[in-house]
Amino acid sequence: MKRTSPGVLLVLVLLATGAGFGFDHMLTVTGRATFTPSAYLPVLLLLIALAVFLLAWPVRRSVRDGHRIDPFRALRAATLARASSLVGAIMAGFDLGLLLFLSTRPVPAPVGSVVAMIALIIGAAVLVGVALIAEQFCTLPKDPDERQPDEHAP
């Protein structure tokens, strides 16, 4: 499994920023109130980041101590870390688009909305960072019993 590329995360942030901006624009054009995320969402993202870290930590510890670990356990933790980094990038981008839309309006946005959006962007960025670290924790060393295919080529 390849590690998550920063380019993929950047593309997701840019696409989600456009989607968030377009979503708020669509709401405004149809006469509805702009979307404001819940204040609990950043807390939820931080709890997810904590869970990802706690699942990846035993894998890192066993690799550093030289103990053998089930590779499927490491794969599950790495997959969760990768999915979390992708979701964090999408959440950060979408909320950045909402914040950009509010900042382009002639009427100033309520302070509570702006603070909630900034908190969500920070929570999503923390999730991405922790997920990338957890993904790195789940990198297992090569098994010495495995031979490279071209190692014994004639």
Side-chain angles (χ1 to χ4, degrees):
M1 184 171 138
K2 291 172 40 178
R3 289 192 182 164
T4 305
S5 146
V8 170
L9 295 176
L10 182 63
V11 167
L12 284 175
V13 167
L14 292 175
L15 289 174
T17 300
F21 190 91
F23 180 69
D24 247 0
H25 180 69
M26 182 191 69
L27 288 176
T28 304
V29 167
T30 58
R32 297 185 183 145
T34 58
F35 179 73
T36 303
S38 171
Y40 295 113
L41 194 52
V43 175
L44 178 65
L45 292 178
L46 292 176
L47 288 174
I48 292 171
L50 179 65
V52 167
F53 184 80
L54 290 176
L55 286 173
W57 184 254
V59 176
R60 178 180 190 263
R61 190 178 46 198
S62 68
V63 168
R64 290 186 75 181
D65 293 344
H67 295 105
R68 182 129 171 94
I69 189 167
D70 182 19
F72 291 111
R73 180 178 181 184
L75 180 65
R76 284 190 293 268
T79 303
L80 177 64
R82 183 176 187 149
S84 297
S85 67
L86 298 176
V87 167
I90 292 169
M91 292 295 295
F94 190 81
D95 202 55
L96 184 62
L98 297 176
L99 188 61
L100 285 175
F101 181 79
L102 283 182
S103 66
T104 61
R105 305 299 301 161
V107 178
V111 175
S113 297
V114 173
V115 169
M117 290 183 190
I118 291 173
L120 182 58
I121 292 171
I122 291 170
V126 167
L127 177 61
V128 169
V130 168
L132 290 176
I133 291 170
E135 190 176 344
Q136 182 180 0
F137 283 176
C138 295
T139 303
L140 298 178
K142 292 277 186 194
D143 194 5
D145 295 337
E146 293 179 8
R147 295 181 182 167
Q148 296 296 329
D150 52 352
E151 194 174 279
H152 296 287

